[in-house]
Amino acid sequence: MGLLLLTSPRADAAGSELRFVPSQPRAGQRIDVVYQPGSLFSEQDTLVLRGRMRTPEDVPYNRGTRQTRVTTLSRGRDGAFHGAFQLPDSIVYATFAVEDPDGMVIDYK
């Protein structure tokens, strides 16, 4: 079973990009995350990647699916933020958002 991770930039986050490597991970696989912030988060050294992950046993339409802190992203020398996480083995769908540590500024992906 594989999972396709799709992203789309927000209008007020012009130039931002969230990448997952590999882009089509398998269950239980490590995923490296690279977030290029564009015009957002110029003063931040760390960010939070939050996600909603759905399993086959969850109620349809994400009712009851909780948002969780997936990983912390740290700014690299290249100006991008980097992190990694391991994909749980039962996930069939996931959505992600990048936010500042206080959760006040959010870039939805």
Side-chain angles (χ1 to χ4, degrees), residues 13 15-19 34-38 75 78-81 107 109:
S16 70
E17 179 184 22
L18 180 61
R19 287 184 315 227
V34 179
Y35 173 71
Q36 189 67 44
R75 189 184 292 273
D78 60 356
F81 291 84
D107 184 3
K109 294 294 170 193

Side-chain angles (χ1 to χ4, degrees), residues 26-84:
R26 298 206 179 276
Q29 188 171 10
R30 174 192 160 107
I31 299 173
D32 292 310
V33 180
V34 179
Y35 173 71
Q36 189 67 44
S39 60
L40 288 178
F41 307 119
S42 61
E43 302 297 319
Q44 300 295 325
D45 291 326
T46 62
L47 297 173
V48 175
L49 179 68
R50 293 208 180 270
R52 289 182 185 245
M53 298 186 195
R54 188 179 179 303
T55 69
E57 292 79 35
D58 287 333
V59 177
Y61 305 107
N62 289 327
R63 290 189 183 108
T65 304
R66 285 185 254 149
Q67 185 184 83
T68 60
R69 181 184 194 123
V70 176
T71 192
T72 298
L73 304 174
S74 300
R75 189 184 292 273
R77 290 184 178 170
D78 60 356
F81 291 84
H82 302 267

